[in-house]
Amino acid sequence: MIQDLLFAPFDLGFMRRALAGCVALSLAGPPLGVLLVLRRMSLTSDGLQHGILPGIALGALLGGVTAGGMLPLWPMALGGFVAGLAVVLLAGWLARATGGREDSQLAALYLLALATGVAVISATRGIDLAHVLFGNVLAVDRAGLLLMAGAATISLAGLAVLWRPLVVESFDPDFLAAMGEAGAVWHLGFMALVVLCVVAGFAALGTLMSVGLMMVPAVAARHLSLRLSGQVAAAVAVALLSSLLGLMLSFHADVPAGPAIVLVAGLVWLGAMLLGPHASLRARLAASRAA
Amino acid sequence: MVTPPITIEGLTCRHGARVAVEGLSGSFAPGSLTAIVGPNGAGKTTLLRTLAGLHRGHAGRIDLGGLKRRDIALLPQASALDRSFPVSCGEVVALGAWAQLGAFGRAPADLPARVAAALDKVGLSGFATRPVGALSAGQFQRVMFARLMLQDAKLLLLDEPTAAVDARTEADLVAQIRAWHAEGRTVVVVLHDLDLVRALCPQALLLAGSKVAWGATEQVLTAENRLRARLLAEAQTGPERRKAA
């Protein structure tokens, strides 16, 4: 009975591929998500996942849909990456040029990008808009798996190199600037890694939830540890657990896999926010009683 | 060889179209301890940030007297940092060794001992592994002072170092500022408490957008100069706020 519950889903090849892809996303995304939270850029990832859509649409248009209805993954991923970087650079440049805030420029840009992407996809024959927006982790093929594993490898290696300056810049950007370090270079490198993981996430979770495994575990981790290493470890653990339980829920309860994974992560976040050891409602209540 | 002073000539700093500091000229002698005082919005923080190389929107000339970037240490206002950030006291203090660490360098073998010694000196022995989120405002400021110790800078720029700390911490921090001054370092400190300025700083700069007075503290902090600074500040914060030329 328990064996059926736990292992039966993964007797199937597509479920094993889905799990492998989610493990790659769970290892690479959450550390970036933790840094995004600490840099007060949580919603930037949300903007980016919409911002990549025009590039994905153009990639599909130029790459051509195969006779079997298969989407051209690599042109779409490349287009998404270029579009994501363009959105990041444009939002930063617009904010500096107009004296406005980067997040408001990003909000306007991503809505524009979303509208453009939906318009291009709708006008392109052979592409299912719902598939691009919501993804289908159970349909991840070899190419999709390679994309996710490759993005995770590059992202983890890049993060290992950039970790120290990124953490210092997140905590005290003026200190780094006063030391003569080019904070903008670290920031841009970091955002390139975020865009890479957002594009990889699109292959499994679609453009509307591609950052689900990056952000929800990272937000939950804030309630689980006061240390950065602890938050990163907790976020990765939450993402891995959500992937596993989400796929099992999808298999047994016939729920779409992407939303099931994000829902499980959401439940963990809810539990951590209510009962976690740090900055949770329980912890605040206990502190106010003690005072 | 005589160390040259830090000289400012015709310095004007802008935030967009607003002028924060206008036409400032003067110099900080090597080894001097100078307070920057003035009403809110007088440009005190902007001046410190400009000296630290952090404020780009400025015109005029700053001669740092041969000091390099890494010879300068800035203590930001405590409110400028996120005290809930998940780092330990030891990690924050170790940042003071950035000149040796850099972005990718290996930590020197003696770094943990230097961090522990600095924490010990600011009265936080055994705090190296404690998260900064668990500290009081005063303890956090002590950690930042320990970081400054590791930086071992020739020019220290301190922005309101004693704001929102308890009396005992204030006394300890003031003693440390005196020690830096006695070691021959140049210290520029933004302060609001004029009694503390008189007790601590031989030199003072009274700022209200532009220079009101700069020199020996008792000659700067006269009632007449303070009234002039207040009137200047009120004129600048009114509807006819100055625009960039």
Side-chain angles (χ1 to χ4, degrees):
Chain A
M1 168 75 179
I2 290 177
Q3 191 168 351
D4 279 351
L5 192 72
L6 294 179
F7 299 114
F10 303 107
D11 284 342
L12 303 164
F14 69 86
M15 287 295 286
R16 286 200 299 275
R17 275 197 300 278
L19 182 62
C22 288
V23 166
L25 293 179
S26 298
L27 292 174
L32 294 168
V34 168
L35 284 177
L36 281 168
V37 171
L38 292 174
R39 295 162 84 87
R40 301 178 191 278
M41 294 175 68
S42 303
L43 284 175
T44 298
S45 62
D46 201 45
L48 272 179
Q49 65 182 355
H50 302 315
I52 63 172
L53 195 59
I56 285 172
L58 278 176
L61 195 65
L62 297 174
V65 182
T66 64
M70 292 293 286
L71 294 174
L73 186 69
W74 292 108
M76 289 169 80
L78 184 64
F81 185 71
V82 172
L85 275 188
V87 167
V88 167
L89 292 172
L90 204 57
W93 178 76
L94 279 175
R96 284 192 300 277
T98 63
R101 288 172 56 102
E102 189 165 341
D103 64 337
S104 57
Q105 305 290 1
L106 194 67
L109 271 177
Y110 92 66
L111 283 167
L112 193 68
L114 182 63
T116 308
V118 169
V120 173
I121 289 170
S122 301
T124 308
R125 287 180 60 183
I127 302 180
D128 179 10
L129 179 63
H131 182 86
V132 174
L133 291 179
F134 300 108
N136 184 2
V137 68
L138 301 184
V140 167
D141 57 6
R142 189 181 164 80
L145 205 54
L146 268 175
L147 172 65
M148 286 185 261
T153 305
I154 293 170
S155 173
L156 285 172
L159 209 49
V161 173
L162 296 177
W163 187 253
R164 186 189 293 164
L166 278 179
V167 171
V168 178
E169 207 226 347
S170 305
F171 173 61
D172 189 353
D174 283 348
F175 176 81
L176 212 58
M179 289 285 114
E181 301 284 353
V185 174
W186 312 126
H187 179 71
L188 197 61
F190 171 65
M191 290 311 294
L193 296 181
V194 172
V195 172
L196 187 66
C197 279
V198 170
V199 171
F202 132 82
L205 301 169
T207 58
L208 290 187
M209 282 188 292
S210 65
V211 296
L213 276 175
M214 182 190 291
M215 294 313 301
V216 185
V219 178
R222 185 178 156 257
H223 302 290
L224 299 174
S225 176
L226 281 179
R227 296 183 191 285
L228 186 55
S229 54
Q231 288 190 6
V232 169
V236 169
V238 170
L240 287 169
L241 186 74
S242 305
S243 299
L244 187 66
L245 294 182
L247 286 172
M248 286 162 59
L249 178 69
S250 166
F251 182 84
H252 291 296
D254 201 20
V255 179
I261 291 168
V262 178
L263 273 173
V264 172
L267 281 176
V268 177
W269 162 70
L270 206 59
M273 187 185 59
L274 292 172
L275 304 169
H278 308 293
S280 64
L281 292 180
R282 183 189 66 85
R284 282 179 190 270
L285 201 64
S288 66
R289 276 189 185 151
Chain B
M1 189 182 119
V2 179
T3 315
I6 295 158
T7 310
I8 297 169
E9 280 177 28
L11 180 71
T12 294
C13 306
R14 292 181 172 82
H15 290 293
R18 189 174 74 82
V19 179
V21 177
E22 188 169 33
L24 183 68
S25 296
S27 64
F28 299 97
S32 60
L33 170 50
T34 308
I36 302 180
V37 292
N40 288 332
K44 305 182 293 291
T45 296
T46 302
L47 176 58
L48 275 200
R49 290 174 58 80
T50 306
L51 288 169
L54 295 174
H55 187 80
R56 300 279 172 213
H58 69 265
R61 196 172 144 264
I62 299 174
D63 180 357
L64 291 171
L67 292 183
K68 298 184 181 72
R69 274 281 185 87
R70 293 181 179 197
D71 294 327
I72 303 169
L74 171 71
L75 175 79
Q77 283 183 23
S79 58
L81 295 176
D82 175 11
R83 276 176 45 207
S84 67
F85 199 91
V87 282
S88 68
C89 299
E91 286 165 336
V92 173
V93 176
L95 284 182
W98 186 268
Q100 294 99 57
L101 283 170
F104 310 113
R106 181 178 284 205
D110 65 343
L111 186 58
R114 285 162 60 201
V115 168
L119 282 169
D120 192 32
K121 211 166 174 184
V122 295
L124 295 179
S125 300
F127 273 58
T129 57
R130 193 171 296 198
V132 294
L135 302 180
S136 68
Q139 287 172 326
F140 184 76
Q141 200 67 320
R142 287 172 188 265
V143 168
M144 296 303 286
F145 264 59
R147 183 173 90 175
L148 289 171
M149 286 175 187
L150 251 73
Q151 279 188 260
D152 195 22
K154 292 175 182 154
L155 170 61
L156 290 143
L157 306 167
L158 314 176
D159 200 351
E160 301 189 28
T162 57
V165 300
D166 57 279
R168 189 174 161 197
T169 300
E170 179 177 317
D172 288 348
L173 299 184
V174 166
Q176 183 55 51
I177 294 171
R178 281 204 173 95
W180 281 324
H181 178 47
E183 288 166 5
R185 301 176 202 272
T186 308
V187 183
V188 182
V189 54
V190 171
L191 290 170
H192 280 289
D193 180 347
L194 296 186
D195 290 335
L196 179 59
V197 172
R198 288 190 181 97
L200 177 67
C201 304
Q203 304 287 313
L205 162 61
L206 180 55
L207 201 59
S210 55
K211 177 173 77 179
V212 177
W214 191 345
T217 300
E218 280 313 319
Q219 284 155 26
V220 167
L221 296 184
T222 60
E224 188 190 344
N225 281 341
R226 281 156 47 207
L227 177 64
R228 232 178 94 211
R230 211 183 71 213
L231 292 174
L232 262 174
E234 283 171 4
Q236 285 156 20
T237 51
E240 298 301 318
R241 193 163 205 154
R242 293 171 303 163
K243 298 283 178 187

